[in-house]
Amino acid sequence: MLGIPLLFMLVQGVKAQSDTSFWKLELENVQISGFKKRFDIKPLPQIHQTYIFSGKKSESIPVAGLSVNLAEKTGRQLFAKIPGIFVYDMDGSGNQINIAARGLDPHRSWEFNVRQNGVLLNSDLYGYPASHYSMPLEAVQRIELVRGTASLQYGAEFGGMLNYVIKEADTTRRLSVESVNTIGAFGLMSLFQSVGGKINGVTYYGYYQKRYSQGYRDNSRSNAECFYAGMSFAPARQMKIDIQVGRSQYLYQIPGPLTDSMFLANPRQSTRSRNYYTPDIWVPSVQWSWKLSEQTKMHTTFSGIWGQRSSVQFEGFATQADNLLPATGQYAGRWVDIDRFHSRTAEWRLLHQYKLLGRDAALSAGIRYFNNRLQRRQRGQGSLNSDFDLSVKGEFGRDLWFLSESIAGYLEHMVKITKKWTVSAGFRYEHGQSRMTGKIVYLEPGDIPQQISHRIPAAGISSQFQFQVNTRLYGGISQAHRPVVFKDIIPGSVLETVAENVKNATGFNAELGLNGSLAGRLRYDISVFALQYYHRMGNILRNDADGNLRIVKTNIGNSLTRGIESYTEVFPIQTDLQTLSFFTSASWMKSTYQNSVLFNGKENIDISGNSVESVPRWIIRSGVDYNYQDVQFGLQYNYTAKTFSDPFNTVISNKSGSNGAVPAYTIWDVNSSIRISTACIVKAGITNVLNTSYFTKRPLFYPGPGVWSSDGRGYYLTLSIKL
């Protein structure tokens, strides 16, 4: 009972101090210590910033707290607890993350709406929607992943939204410093340095990273450099302005494709030593946030993507050697390709929360405008040298412009029907066009112009029922689309043409799931989904107006992917000092073509019922995580089932390795960390412990058809210091 009057006296004394110097209390310093608990994958809130995510499947991945190989962006570790994520190893470890979900194409994650701090990163939504910008994961606080049923609010991509949230500065200090340095197998050295703080009302954060690797395969070295600078300030009450600029660049030596026999004999060997690829991308942005009232928020973003992706390659199948020519004593010439991006985007978003017939309701609305000038120069005759050299003799064989412009608006409304039942419905309309101009040396000038109109309405509805605080049933359906991209309408030769009135891919995402926890000992998220994809692009053989057979680029048919996604994690031990958990993240998918016909090089083949390429029937990731005080340990098992590399579902590979099945593979990883002090953490791990030889895909285009080996057994050691 003495505690109450003592507390009363303390409060009165502090209050009196503002009026008189009679009262003066001095409290001794109190130091509170404890052990930071494990970091969990969690769904995003029903209302997040200016987004409505009620009824949608979403995950927030706490990257900064994971004991994984961040320097090399090891996707299977990063997304270990996200079921159904297919990871494509392509540009060497650590350069970019290439992922897909629900049977989509993983090339540079281009089926996702990719963002950094909410700023769009897709290089050209209509022309080349790949994300060439790649920030260091040491700078990322968390990754927000939202599946396609929420697409009305940020775009209409089939995959959903992938948002990398950069770390924030320590606003309690004028200057804080973080240094994360990693060494590892295959000559890996990564140096990441950041500074941040708050000075006179201005918060700032910036980083610089330099990373070098010799690569797992011969002739596969990488040299990467990234930097970022951001500042925020409040020009008025309830208002904030964020100014940010980021740049990512890397040079990757492309080791060339292998045949199956080469891969089995030595997966580390190379067939090319003169091939190189580099993207150099700048992303500036200004964001203005304004809290108009307790119920209303407004957010405006102006951003751009400027830069280029370039390559110089001696092209050919793995069976075609790049040797000195006996007649000249020199190498053959290489081909140079250069894409330049000039993309500008403006987005305005509003969220208003209010009461509707006595029930909580929220309205999210927004407008997005973008335009881009993509210059694509290809088939330039490159030098005979062996170094990275983009010089061209004469003119490019293809010198094209792809001009895109679009305006889109959306409206989504959420209302609580009861205290536990919420329904959200929305609509989006996108209006734009793309126009290709320029020249291709093997076509007449009049055959080049190609214009595509984009008039794309999309609607969706989702709902969730909250059984208790930590358990909900969610589900919804939403339309989606993917515009015809630049490469789809470039004839490969004089024998090819592009059909008139090609259609954008459209379709829908549907899902139904249950997630929650039980007695603090079990976490789960189990869902079923269907993804319908209409108007897929491809080549068919068709008679032209003169009766001549021509290869025509056009819409070839549809596909349907159905599946189950399941994440479960049990905690037999969970105390303040230690935690032990076992998790399994698994997906089962069946993806097939519908009403589809495709040219196989000789004739049109009906591929209806065939499996869509690069869609594994099973993806299973399981593991054990153990934390004791400041020590963390994790063991992870990864299994990906067999996939097909082409729509014809070829099983036996050809001589060049350009098609054929991709075998199933199993990989084990070990990760650990220990906090030495409040300022110092050491992380270490072994990737691909059993040194499994595997590959994830036989690409149809870049970096070339054939087998591309993924990394064998490696290790990493990271020292992180924060002051």
Side-chain angles (χ1 to χ4, degrees):
M1 295 297 293
L2 293 176
I4 295 177
L6 181 62
L7 179 61
F8 177 79
M9 292 173 60
L10 177 61
V11 172
Q12 291 298 315
V14 173
K15 181 178 179 181
Q17 187 178 5
S18 61
D19 300 323
T20 176
S21 60
F22 180 79
W23 280 91
K24 187 175 182 179
L25 299 177
E26 293 186 5
L27 302 178
E28 295 183 0
N29 291 332
V30 177
Q31 182 176 357
I32 301 174
S33 60
F35 302 104
K36 187 178 291 186
K37 290 189 176 182
R38 65 188 308 280
F39 298 85
D40 297 317
I41 306 292
K42 295 180 179 179
L44 292 168
Q46 292 188 51
I47 295 178
H48 181 55
Q49 298 169 354
T50 53
Y51 294 99
I52 295 174
F53 290 146
S54 175
K56 284 83 170 176
K57 182 166 187 173
S58 64
E59 293 101 349
S60 178
I61 306 169
V63 177
L66 299 178
S67 295
V68 300
N69 188 358
L70 295 180
E72 294 190 299
K73 299 186 175 80
T74 309
R76 64 177 180 271
Q77 298 179 14
L78 190 65
F79 297 96
K81 298 182 180 181
I82 310 299
I85 296 296
F86 176 70
V87 179
Y88 173 29
D89 298 332
M90 182 175 63
D91 273 346
S93 296
N95 288 324
Q96 293 204 246
I97 293 176
N98 302 279
I99 63 169
R102 298 181 174 178
L104 297 168
D105 188 344
H107 180 81
R108 303 203 191 287
S109 307
W110 64 355
E111 299 280 11
F112 284 99
N113 186 289
V114 185
R115 294 172 178 254
Q116 174 183 277
N117 289 345
V119 175
L120 194 65
L121 297 181
N122 300 76
S123 297
D124 180 1
L125 287 175
Y126 285 174
Y128 193 1
S131 175
H132 298 95
Y133 179 88
S134 182
M135 75 297 293
L137 289 182
E138 292 92 334
V140 176
Q141 182 67 31
R142 67 183 183 275
I143 297 176
E144 298 172 346
L145 176 61
V146 187
R147 304 307 171 94
T149 52
S151 61
L152 301 177
Q153 298 177 69
Y154 47 78
E157 284 74 14
F158 279 93
M161 181 176 68
L162 189 63
N163 185 32
Y164 297 89
V165 181
I166 301 298
K167 293 177 179 177
E168 295 182 349
D170 183 353
T171 56
T172 65
R173 308 173 65 179
R174 296 174 65 88
L175 174 65
S176 61
V177 179
E178 183 178 23
S179 177
V180 184
N181 305 293
T182 302
I183 58 173
F186 320 124
L188 170 67
M189 180 175 293
S190 175
L191 307 175
F192 171 87
Q193 320 298 324
S194 71
V195 296
K198 186 175 184 180
I199 301 176
N200 297 329
V202 176
T203 300
Y204 68 95
Y205 178 80
Y207 67 72
Y208 174 81
Q209 186 209 33
K210 184 73 174 178
R211 181 177 49 77
Y212 178 81
S213 174
Q214 286 284 357
Y216 170 69
R217 295 178 59 192
D218 299 333
N219 301 312
S220 65
R221 70 179 186 272
S222 296
N223 196 341
E225 186 177 38
C226 303
F227 88 86
Y228 168 92
M231 61 176 290
S232 65
F233 60 94
R237 189 180 178 187
Q238 305 295 338
M239 189 180 295
K240 187 177 76 164
I241 293 178
D242 293 278
I243 303 174
Q244 303 165 359
V245 61
R247 180 206 180 199
S248 77
Q249 182 272 339
Y250 65 86
L251 176 63
Y252 171 53
Q253 187 177 14
I254 310 172
L258 301 178
T259 67
D260 288 66
S261 59
M262 289 176 178
F263 171 76
L264 292 173
N266 178 12
R268 301 189 65 174
Q269 66 179 295
S270 167
T271 57
R272 300 288 182 268
S273 62
R274 304 189 301 135
N275 290 10
Y276 299 88
Y277 169 83
T278 179
D280 189 351
I281 306 295
W282 291 78
V283 181
S285 67
V286 177
Q287 299 187 68
W288 174 34
S289 303
W290 187 8
K291 188 176 181 181
L292 285 77
S293 68
E294 289 300 319
Q295 294 78 33
T296 309
K297 301 176 184 177
M298 187 181 74
H299 190 86
T300 305
T301 302
F302 300 97
S303 63
I305 297 176
W306 287 288
Q308 69 180 42
R309 60 169 295 283
S310 309
S311 65
V312 53
Q313 300 186 71
F314 173 79
E315 296 180 351
F317 293 110
T319 50
Q320 185 177 355
D322 182 16
N323 296 327
L324 293 172
L325 300 176
T328 62
Q330 295 181 312
Y331 287 105
R334 299 174 292 178
W335 294 111
V336 174
D337 293 344
I338 301 175
D339 284 352
R340 293 187 182 276
F341 303 102
H342 311 80
S343 181
R344 294 158 294 275
T345 302
E347 288 186 281
W348 174 83
R349 306 176 55 82
L350 178 75
L351 177 75
H352 179 62
Q353 297 175 263
Y354 66 104
K355 294 287 186 179
L356 178 64
L357 301 178
R359 299 294 185 185
D360 291 336
L363 178 70
S364 180
I367 299 173
R368 184 197 70 195
Y369 170 80
F370 86 83
N371 69 67
N372 181 57
R373 294 183 297 116
L374 166 57
Q375 183 184 22
R376 170 157 288 185
R377 293 178 293 168
Q378 296 178 317
R379 314 306 293 172
Q381 187 176 350
S383 72
L384 310 181
N385 301 330
S386 298
D387 60 345
F388 176 63
D389 182 0
L390 293 178
S391 62
V392 174
K393 298 177 183 178
E395 299 180 344
F396 284 87
R398 301 173 188 149
D399 194 346
L400 302 168
W401 285 91
F402 195 75
L403 310 176
S404 301
E405 188 174 31
S406 168
I407 186 167
Y410 83 90
L411 188 70
E412 183 150 348
H413 187 258
M414 181 195 79
V415 61
K416 283 193 172 183
I417 306 299
T418 68
K419 290 184 178 180
K420 296 184 177 182
W421 182 24
T422 304
V423 176
S424 302
F427 180 79
R428 181 183 185 89
Y429 185 76
E430 194 160 330
H431 178 93
Q433 70 174 13
S434 302
R435 185 164 57 94
M436 181 174 72
T437 62
K439 70 171 186 176
I440 299 177
V441 294
Y442 47 82
L443 295 180
E444 294 296 328
D447 295 334
I448 299 302
Q450 179 76 27
Q451 183 166 312
I452 303 174
S453 296
H454 308 282
R455 311 286 188 269
I456 309 171
I461 186 169
S462 60
S463 180
Q464 78 172 42
F465 188 87
Q466 198 81 33
F467 290 101
Q468 48 186 296
V469 176
N470 296 320
T471 304
R472 66 167 184 149
L473 176 69
Y474 63 90
I477 183 170
S478 180
Q479 292 175 290
H481 76 266
R482 185 187 185 195
V484 175
V485 299
F486 202 0
K487 76 176 184 66
D488 291 333
I489 58 172
I490 298 179
S493 71
V494 70
L495 300 177
E496 293 186 7
T497 185
V498 181
E500 296 182 1
N501 302 319
V502 292
K503 298 178 181 179
N504 294 308
T506 60
F508 63 82
N509 270 288
E511 64 190 11
L512 177 66
L514 179 70
N515 72 1
S517 62
L518 183 62
R521 298 290 183 176
L522 171 67
R523 289 195 178 97
Y524 59 89
D525 191 331
I526 302 171
S527 61
V528 295
F529 72 88
L531 189 151
Q532 180 72 64
Y533 208 111
Y534 297 114
H535 314 309
R536 298 182 73 102
M537 289 293 295
N539 295 336
I540 64 171
L541 196 64
R542 178 188 294 171
N543 290 315
D544 62 15
D546 298 325
N548 300 315
L549 284 175
R550 299 289 296 273
I551 301 171
V552 182
K553 290 179 172 290
T554 187
N555 305 106
I556 63 164
N558 312 321
S559 67
L560 174 64
T561 304
R562 294 160 293 175
I564 302 172
E565 299 166 335
S566 172
Y567 159 68
T568 57
E569 188 166 11
V570 295
F571 300 83
I573 300 176
Q574 192 171 29
T575 68
D576 291 337
L577 294 180
Q578 63 179 331
T579 302
L580 174 67
S581 71
F582 299 90
F583 74 88
T584 294
S585 171
S587 68
W588 176 89
M589 290 182 287
K590 185 176 182 180
S591 184
T592 55
Y593 284 96
Q594 301 174 317
N595 304 319
S596 300
V597 175
L598 189 65
F599 179 57
N600 70 349
K602 297 180 180 179
E603 59 182 342
N604 290 333
I605 299 294
D606 187 347
I607 59 172
S608 301
N610 284 10
S611 296
V612 176
E613 56 272 27
S614 301
V615 183
R617 189 63 56 92
W618 288 97
I619 299 176
I620 301 174
R621 297 187 177 103
S622 299
V624 55
D625 289 329
Y626 178 70
N627 301 347
Y628 179 74
Q629 296 186 358
D630 288 323
V631 178
Q632 297 183 31
F633 173 83
L635 174 66
Q636 183 180 321
Y637 162 86
N638 304 268
Y639 171 78
T640 302
K642 179 185 75 173
T643 60
F644 294 104
S645 62
D646 65 342
F648 305 106
N649 291 180
T650 305
V651 176
I652 305 301
S653 62
N654 58 11
K655 185 178 179 180
S656 67
S658 59
N659 65 8
V662 177
Y665 50 90
T666 299
I667 307 167
W668 291 85
D669 297 316
V670 173
N671 297 290
S672 64
S673 72
I674 180 171
R675 180 178 291 276
I676 305 298
S677 67
T678 56
C680 180
I681 299 176
V682 175
K683 298 181 180 181
I686 301 175
T687 54
N688 195 353
V689 174
L690 301 182
N691 199 28
T692 300
S693 295
Y694 74 103
F695 59 99
T696 58
K697 198 174 183 288
R698 299 179 196 257
L700 297 177
F701 51 106
Y702 177 87
V707 174
W708 293 83
S709 309
S710 299
D711 287 4
R713 180 169 50 239
Y715 70 88
Y716 70 94
L717 178 64
T718 300
L719 174 63
S720 176
I721 299 174
K722 191 171 185 179
L723 302 173

